[in-house]
C-alpha cells in the first residue's frame, strides 16, 4: 500500500530565548514530579484521566501500530483483587526471588510486599503491550518495537498525569499475568505496568533521594 502524506501544520518554531525558557520551564515542571506511595482516596475529576490517556496515545511507536491498551480501574472490588494478587507475587519476590543486592538497592526507598496504595488510590491504570494484533478474521498481525512503544507511551502518560496536578506510582509486580484474568484482557496483551494515580495523602512523605547531574548522564562528542 502506497504511503499517504499531508503537510506538517502542527510544528511551532520559537525564538532561541523562548526555546530555552520553554525547555527550562518544562524541566522545572517535571523536576517537581515525585513517585508517591501515600495516596488520598479523593476522587479524580471527570475527564482528567481520559485526557492523559489521549496524550499517551500520541506517543511515537513502531510502524504506527500503536501496540498498547490502557485499562482504568476505579471499582473498589477490582482494586482489592489486584492488590491481593499483586501482594502474593510481591511476598514471593521479597522472601524468595530477590537477590541480596536488589533488596539492598530497594532499602533506601522503604518498600516491602505490602501495597495498600493499590486500594487507597482512586485510580489504577493498567498498561498492556499488544504483543501481536488480531484481524477481524482471527489471523495474527505482527507488531514492532512493542516494549519500546509501550514504554514511550507510559512516559507520556506519567508526564501528563503530573502536568494535570496528580501524583503517580509505577508498580510492576512480577509476573503480572493475573491482570489479564482480573481485567478480562486477551492473551495477545501482555501487562506492561500498573500506574497508580491520585492525590497525595495530606501526610505523604517521599524518600530523600537525588538524581544524577547532567554531567553524569550526558556526553558531548
Amino acid at each position: 500500500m502506497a504511503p499517504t502524506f499531508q503537510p506538517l501544520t502542527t510544528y511551532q518554531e520559537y525564538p532561541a530565548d523562548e526555546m530555552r525558557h520553554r525547555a527550562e520551564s518544562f524541566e522545572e515542571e517535571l523536576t517537581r514530579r515525585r513517585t508517591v506511595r501515600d495516596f488520598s482516596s479523593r476522587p479524580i475529576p471527570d475527564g482528567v484521566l481520559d485526557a492523559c490517556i489521549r496524550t499517551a496515545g500520541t506517543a511515537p511507536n513502531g510502524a504506527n501500530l500503536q501496540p498498547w491498551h490502557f485499562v482504568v480501574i476505579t471499582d473498589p472490588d477490582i482494586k482489592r483483587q489486584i492488590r491481593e494478587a499483586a501482594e502474593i507475587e510481591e511476598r514471593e519476590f521479597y522472601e524468595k526471588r530477590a537477590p541480596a543486592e536488589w533488596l539492598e538497592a530497594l532499602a533506601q526507598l522503604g518498600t516491602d510486599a505490602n501495597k495498600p496504595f493499590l486500594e487507597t488510590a482512586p485510580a489504577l491504570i493498567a498498561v498492556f503491550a499488544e504483543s501481536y494484533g488480531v484481524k477481524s478474521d482471527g489471523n495474527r498481525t505482527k507488531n514492532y518495537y512493542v516494549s519500546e512503544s509501550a514504554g514511550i507511551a507510559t512516559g507520556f502518560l506519567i508526564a501528563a498525569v503530573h502536568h494535570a496536578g496528580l501524583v503517580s506510582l509505577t508498580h510492576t509486580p512480577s509476573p503480572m499475568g493475573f491482570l489479564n484474568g482480573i481485567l478480562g484482557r486477551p492473551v495477545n496483551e501482555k501487562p506492561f505496568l500498573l500506574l497508580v494515580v491520585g492525590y497525595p495523602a495530606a501526610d505523604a512523605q517521599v524518600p530523600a533521594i537525588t538524581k544524577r547531574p547532567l554531567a553524569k548522564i550526558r556526553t558531548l562528542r
Side-chain angles (χ1 to χ4, degrees):
M1 182 172 63
T4 301
F5 293 91
Q6 62 187 23
L8 173 64
T9 60
T10 56
Y11 173 70
Q12 175 67 59
E13 183 175 345
Y14 302 99
D17 287 347
E18 185 176 354
M19 185 183 294
R20 280 189 291 270
H21 174 72
R22 290 174 65 87
E24 290 167 358
S25 294
F26 192 65
E27 174 197 5
E28 182 178 352
E29 167 79 0
L30 288 191
T31 298
R32 292 192 301 103
R33 190 208 63 79
R34 292 300 306 268
T35 294
V36 170
R37 291 178 174 82
D38 301 321
F39 284 84
S40 164
S41 60
R42 179 181 168 192
I44 298 168
D46 291 344
V48 172
L49 293 185
D50 284 349
C52 292
I53 292 171
R54 285 196 297 269
T55 298
T58 68
N61 61 94
N64 195 39
L65 294 175
Q66 304 165 61
W68 47 58
H69 190 83
F70 305 89
V71 180
V72 179
I73 306 108
T74 58
D75 183 281
D77 183 59
I78 298 177
K79 290 193 294 179
R80 176 188 55 77
Q81 293 179 52
I82 290 174
R83 178 186 179 181
E84 291 174 353
E87 287 185 342
I88 289 173
E89 301 298 344
E90 290 292 282
R91 284 192 292 271
E92 180 75 13
F93 168 78
Y94 278 93
E95 295 171 9
K96 298 179 181 179
R97 295 202 307 262
E101 60 265 27
W102 195 345
L103 294 176
E104 183 178 352
L106 289 172
Q108 65 172 328
L109 303 178
T111 62
D112 57 29
N114 298 307
K115 308 300 177 184
F117 47 75
L118 292 174
E119 285 192 89
T120 305
L124 311 176
I125 303 176
V127 182
F128 287 85
E130 189 180 81
S131 54
Y132 58 88
V134 180
K135 293 182 178 180
S136 58
D137 60 6
N139 288 325
R140 295 185 180 187
T141 59
K142 183 174 178 58
N143 286 336
Y144 303 92
Y145 299 105
V146 173
S147 293
E148 295 87 346
S149 300
I152 296 169
T154 300
F156 275 37
L157 177 59
I158 292 169
V161 164
H162 169 75
H163 187 65
L166 299 169
V167 295
S168 67
L169 165 71
T170 55
H171 182 50
T172 53
S174 179
M176 288 191 286
F178 61 84
L179 287 173
N180 289 77
I182 293 174
L183 300 175
R185 301 310 305 166
V187 295
N188 64 315
E189 293 181 5
K190 181 179 179 181
F192 184 78
L193 180 141
L194 262 178
L195 191 68
V196 187
V197 182
Y199 294 94
D203 58 351
Q205 295 188 328
V206 294
I209 57 175
T210 58
K211 300 296 185 181
R212 288 185 289 173
L214 179 63
K216 292 289 187 180
I217 63 173
R218 182 268 281 131
T219 296
L220 297 176
R221 294 295 187 191

